[in-house]
Amino acid sequence: MVYIVIPCFNRKKLTRGCLQALENQTYKDFKVIVVDDGSTDGTANMITREFPETILLFGDGNLFWTGATNKGVRYALENGATHVMALNDDTVPKEDYMEKMMYWAEQKPNAILGALDYDYNSKKPYFGGEIHNWKTNKSFQLLDRLPPAQHQGLHKVTHAPGRGLLIPRKIFETIGLFEEKKLPQYAADYDFTFQAAKAGFEIYCNYDAMLYSFPQESGDHQKRMERSWSNYKKHLFSITGTGNLKVYTHYVLRNCPPVYVPYALFDGYARRILGYWLKGYKDLSKVQEDEKVKRKEMETEIAEFLKG
């Protein structure tokens, strides 16, 4: 049995859209666990009322992504899961998503499988896996290298994000759960897949499985959209900041070959400290206005997508 684990916090509309998409899957042999980490927007009541078969677990607001995901994973493993899928609530899986994932899981029973991500608003693929080189501390996107004719099947990667990540039970039994103490919110998914690769497991991006998501809905995206010294400090030091220097340090020390650690730390610190300001938008006010319009249209778009 496959268990899908979805952590959530105060994004009721997005969570509803994700659960509706899962109800419409052509492959049905799975159970859904939602870990509500202290939502105050009525998410839990909505799930109980509209999706009564969903397993609902709770946190107190201090689990964050990693702790909430681990709570769901523990429940799944205790109840006999053969596979666990980590799925974010700001995603809308295409109706044959689980079917395509499970097909390749049978072909590669000991591999971790990620998915081809499409931007929900543009309907264009924006993430199809990465290859990371620790020597240069750079990653290249497979989508930039693969011709359209090869946008199918499995493509090997060095690591993968935790949205739509299908993980066999054997891997948890071998390397344990996601690292929630040192990496409570960000980087735990990349860390987990790097650790799995070190243990001899393969990581693939499944180009046959399409996952629609909303990149602009991440909390750190909002911090970078509304640049200020307050948000800059949050970006570098808060648990929810993707530029968190302490988190990055743990991530590098856990995964980078020792010979490349000094450069990886120097390069990574520089990107995080300077990049927040250097990667500015030419017309920030226009971008912010566009984002507001997109958010208003989101719920209608999800409903139309699911009907189609």
Side-chain angles (χ1 to χ4, degrees):
M1 173 65 71
V2 181
Y3 280 77
I4 300 175
V5 176
I6 306 173
C8 72
F9 177 72
N10 281 347
R11 300 200 293 190
K12 181 171 66 173
K13 293 179 181 178
L14 290 175
T15 302
R16 176 188 283 121
C18 181
L19 293 176
Q20 287 174 338
L22 290 175
E23 279 196 340
N24 294 337
Q25 292 295 298
T26 55
Y27 179 93
K28 303 291 186 181
D29 192 17
F30 62 86
K31 293 183 179 181
V32 179
I33 301 171
V34 172
V35 184
D36 184 352
D37 191 24
S39 294
T40 58
D41 65 348
T43 293
N45 289 336
M46 178 274 293
I47 293 172
T48 301
R49 182 177 62 255
E50 299 179 23
F51 306 96
E53 294 185 358
T54 297
I55 300 163
L56 190 57
L57 306 179
F58 295 94
D60 60 3
N62 293 304
L63 291 178
F64 298 100
W65 184 89
T66 314
T69 299
N70 277 347
K71 186 164 188 170
V73 171
R74 289 189 189 96
Y75 181 98
L77 296 178
E78 289 169 0
N79 286 273
T82 59
H83 294 77
V84 176
M85 175 176 287
L87 185 67
N88 288 354
D89 65 345
D90 60 346
T91 60
V92 181
K94 189 179 177 183
E95 64 273 7
D96 63 353
Y97 176 78
M98 288 300 298
E99 179 182 337
K100 299 295 187 182
M101 292 296 278
M102 297 313 299
Y103 168 81
W104 281 111
E106 291 182 4
Q107 315 307 312
K108 297 285 186 178
N110 293 318
I112 294 178
L113 303 181
L116 179 61
D117 283 2
Y118 279 70
D119 185 306
Y120 190 90
N121 294 302
S122 69
K123 301 298 187 291
K124 295 180 180 179
Y126 78 93
F127 183 84
E130 293 179 315
I131 304 294
H132 188 75
N133 183 342
W134 282 111
K135 184 177 181 179
T136 61
N137 201 32
K138 299 290 193 298
S139 295
F140 71 81
Q141 299 275 350
L142 286 182
L143 275 174
D144 296 336
R145 305 288 183 93
L146 294 174
Q150 294 183 29
H151 288 188
Q152 58 184 328
L154 300 187
H155 293 278
K156 197 169 184 179
V157 296
T158 55
H159 58 289
R163 54 183 183 273
L165 194 65
L166 185 64
I167 307 165
R169 181 187 187 94
K170 181 179 180 179
I171 296 180
F172 290 112
E173 293 175 340
T174 303
I175 69 171
L177 305 186
F178 294 92
E179 175 52 59
E180 62 184 277
K181 291 184 178 180
K182 295 179 179 178
L183 309 173
Q185 176 69 11
Y186 291 112
D189 46 2
Y190 281 10
D191 172 81
F192 181 88
T193 50
F194 270 121
Q195 293 294 311
K198 282 184 181 181
F201 297 100
E202 294 178 315
I203 321 295
Y204 293 96
C205 183
N206 182 2
Y207 273 56
D208 294 338
M210 296 171 58
L211 187 67
Y212 291 87
S213 58
F214 304 89
Q216 73 278 6
E217 286 302 309
S218 71
D220 196 69
H221 177 86
Q222 304 305 320
K223 293 185 184 72
R224 288 181 280 111
M225 285 289 296
E226 300 174 8
R227 282 177 171 76
S228 68
W229 283 108
S230 175
N231 280 341
Y232 180 53
K233 289 190 292 185
K234 292 176 182 177
H235 176 69
L236 293 179
F237 302 110
S238 75
I239 289 178
T240 58
T242 56
N244 187 296
L245 299 179
K246 184 178 180 180
V247 165
Y248 179 71
T249 302
H250 287 310
Y251 172 69
V252 170
L253 293 178
R254 284 172 56 84
N255 299 292
C256 181
V259 67
Y260 303 132
V261 165
Y263 176 73
L265 290 176
F266 173 80
D267 177 67
Y269 291 161
R271 291 192 208 178
R272 284 155 178 77
I273 293 170
L274 301 176
Y276 180 90
W277 302 108
L278 295 179
K279 294 180 181 179
Y281 296 98
K282 294 181 179 179
D283 187 355
L284 183 56
S285 61
K286 183 178 185 303
V287 174
Q288 290 173 329
E289 187 61 34
D290 289 344
E291 293 294 341
K292 290 178 182 178
V293 172
K294 288 178 181 178
R295 291 191 195 101
K296 290 180 181 178
E297 295 175 347
M298 189 180 304
E299 188 173 19
T300 300
E301 289 179 344
I302 292 175
E304 291 177 351
F305 175 82
L306 293 172
K307 289 179 182 178

